[in-house]
């Protein structure tokens, strides 16, 4: 048997180990891929981005600190302006004093915009200014040294027309009792029908011959006597709705109307009463006043005889019939009786 030929005998293990073998192929196992990431890691970001993120976080922190400081300051300011911390401004209440609003609210200057409301703070009502030197009751019931903020009374209304008439020295108070108009001197003038004043709601005699119709404005109707030489005043008979404030009674309204007629007499004229009586015109109530009007004309004392009649017609205002005749035309004074006795309601 030649070397290397062993036939079918078993090969010893040491021989098998030394036998030449074919190298096995290298097997490589691939590594598992990393889990997917939603973004880049901090290490993958550029440094300028990191700096910007840090600066933004710092700015937000600064704003938060500043906002907290503002809120705390507002709360502190609101607590300082609560009524309990303001001395010297109290409102008198039953049994003691109640705090008033802060001096800032009571200041005469008004802010252009109200302050922002602070949670938990309710502004108190602003009381009316207290009168100078006023005091309010203290908690013990005695006077307080602090000024009261109770509202002062509202200003009184303007003086009424009646108050002005009663304080007018030119017009005396009406007599308490009625006094009828007496028959006046002179011869009554002829009449020709009636003047029908529909604007005022009355009719009265239209005189013929001496008396003349004249331009009515500003009255509803007008009749006049001829001019008197050396005088600007002459007999006048007019009608119109009563041109003064209507009072609760016809008597008071007539009183104001008589005062108003002084506008148609010389300056400085005064009145003395000759008659004051209720009248009946058809179914309507009325009031008649007769009076002398005294004045000075060119240094000479003069007197006119005058009368007015108010009729409570069913219109907005009572009707007024007014007649005045100066003493230079005294012979026509009886015409006053004619007018006053023949008024009719339309």
């Amino acid at each position: 048997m030649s070397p290397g030929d062993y036939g079918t005998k078993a090969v010893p293990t040491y021989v098998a180990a030394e036998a030449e073998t074919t190298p096995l192929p290298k097997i490589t196992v691939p590594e598992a891929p990393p889990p997917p990431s939603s973004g880049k890691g901090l290490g993958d970001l550029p440094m300028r981005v990191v700096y910007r993120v840090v600066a933004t976080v710092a700015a937000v922190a600064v704003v938060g600190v500043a906002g907290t400081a503002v809120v705390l300051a507002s709360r502190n300011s609101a607590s300082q302006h609560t009524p309990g911390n303001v001395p010297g401004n109290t409102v008198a209440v039953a049994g003691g004093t109640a705090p008033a609003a802060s001096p800032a609210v009571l200041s005469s200057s008004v802010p252009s915009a109200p302050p922002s409301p602070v949670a938990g703070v309710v502004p108190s009502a602003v009381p009316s200014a207290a009168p100078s030197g006023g005091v309010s009751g203290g908690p013990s019931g005695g006077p307080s040294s602090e000024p009261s903020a109770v509202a002062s009374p509202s200003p009184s209304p303007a003086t009424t027309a009646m108050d002005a008439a009663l304080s007018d020295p030119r017009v005396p108070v009406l007599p308490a009792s009625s006094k009828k108009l007496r028959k006046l001197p002179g011869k009554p003038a002829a009449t020709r029908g009636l003047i029908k004043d529909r604007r005022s709601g009355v009719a009265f005699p239209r005189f013929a011959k001496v008396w003349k119709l004249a331009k009515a404005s500003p009255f509803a109707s007008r009749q006049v006597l001829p001019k008197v030489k050396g005088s600007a005043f002459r007999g006048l008979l007019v009608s119109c709705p009563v041109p003064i404030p209507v009072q609760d009674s016809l008597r008071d309204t007539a009183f104001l109307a008589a005062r108003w007629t002084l506008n148609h007499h010389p300056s400085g004229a005064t009145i003395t009463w000759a008659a004051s009586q209720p009248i009946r015109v058809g179914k309507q109530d009325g009031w008649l006043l007769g009076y002398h009007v005294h004045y000075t004309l060119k240094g000479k004392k003069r007197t006119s005889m005058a009368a007015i009649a108010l009729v409570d017609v069913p219109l907005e205002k009572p009707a007024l019939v007014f007649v005045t005749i100066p003493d230079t035309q005294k012979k026509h004074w009886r015409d006053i009786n004619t007018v006053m006795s023949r008024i009719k309601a339309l």
Side-chain angles (χ1 to χ4, degrees):
M1 179 178 296
S2 59
D5 186 8
Y6 297 98
T8 59
K9 294 182 180 180
V11 180
T13 57
Y14 64 90
V15 176
E18 294 177 358
E20 184 177 353
T21 61
T22 303
L24 296 175
K26 184 178 180 180
I27 300 173
T28 60
V29 180
E31 296 181 359
S37 175
S38 58
K40 294 182 180 182
L42 183 62
D44 297 329
L45 295 175
M47 288 306 295
R48 66 177 181 274
V49 175
V50 175
Y51 291 152
R52 291 178 181 175
V53 172
V54 173
T56 302
V57 172
V60 171
V62 170
V63 171
V65 172
T68 303
V70 169
V71 172
L72 291 177
S74 300
R75 291 183 177 178
N76 186 29
S77 175
S79 63
Q80 292 177 356
H81 284 79
T82 53
N85 294 332
V86 182
N89 291 305
T90 58
V91 179
V93 295
T97 58
S102 65
V105 178
L106 296 176
S107 173
S108 59
S109 60
V110 179
S112 58
S116 301
V118 180
V121 178
V122 179
S124 60
V126 180
S128 301
S132 177
V135 295
S136 61
S140 62
S144 171
S145 60
E146 298 175 345
S148 171
V150 178
S152 58
S154 58
S156 58
T159 304
T160 63
M162 195 65 184
D163 291 337
L166 291 173
S167 62
D168 191 340
R170 302 174 302 165
V171 187
V173 177
L174 285 173
S177 58
S178 297
K179 184 178 181 180
K180 291 185 178 182
L181 179 66
R182 66 181 178 87
K183 185 179 290 187
L184 298 170
K187 183 180 179 180
T191 62
R192 185 175 61 191
L194 298 173
I195 295 290
K196 294 183 178 180
D197 178 4
R198 300 194 181 279
R199 176 180 158 194
S200 305
V202 292
F204 48 90
R206 175 182 177 181
F207 290 108
K209 297 182 178 180
V210 181
W211 289 85
K212 303 295 182 182
L213 292 176
K215 183 179 178 181
S217 180
F219 307 102
S221 72
R222 187 197 315 232
Q223 299 178 68
V224 294
L225 285 172
K227 290 183 179 180
V228 178
K229 186 177 180 180
S231 175
F233 297 94
R234 54 177 169 168
L236 175 70
L237 170 58
V238 298
S239 65
C240 62
V242 65
I244 45 85
V246 177
Q247 304 300 301
D248 293 336
S249 70
L250 282 174
R251 182 177 181 270
D252 289 345
T253 306
F255 176 73
L256 293 184
R259 177 175 180 258
W260 168 81
T261 64
L262 290 178
N263 296 326
H264 301 281
H265 290 93
S267 177
T270 60
I271 284 176
T272 57
W273 301 113
S276 176
Q277 65 181 94
I279 58 175
R280 189 76 175 172
V281 179
K283 296 181 180 180
Q284 309 301 325
D285 292 328
W287 199 273
L288 184 152
L289 292 177
Y291 49 99
H292 299 281
V293 183
H294 309 278
Y295 51 90
T296 300
L297 197 60
K298 293 184 179 180
K300 188 175 182 178
K301 291 183 178 180
R302 292 290 185 180
T303 301
S304 289
M305 187 66 205
I308 62 169
L310 256 67
V311 183
D312 192 14
V313 295
L315 296 176
E316 184 178 355
K317 283 191 170 186
L320 169 68
V321 179
F322 162 53
V323 57
T324 179
I325 302 174
D327 55 5
T328 54
Q329 297 175 317
K330 188 174 181 178
K331 63 181 181 179
H332 297 289
W333 280 8
R334 180 68 67 86
D335 293 343
I336 296 175
N337 295 103
T338 302
V339 172
M340 294 293 117
S341 62
R342 292 170 59 181
I343 298 174
K344 299 182 181 297
L346 295 178

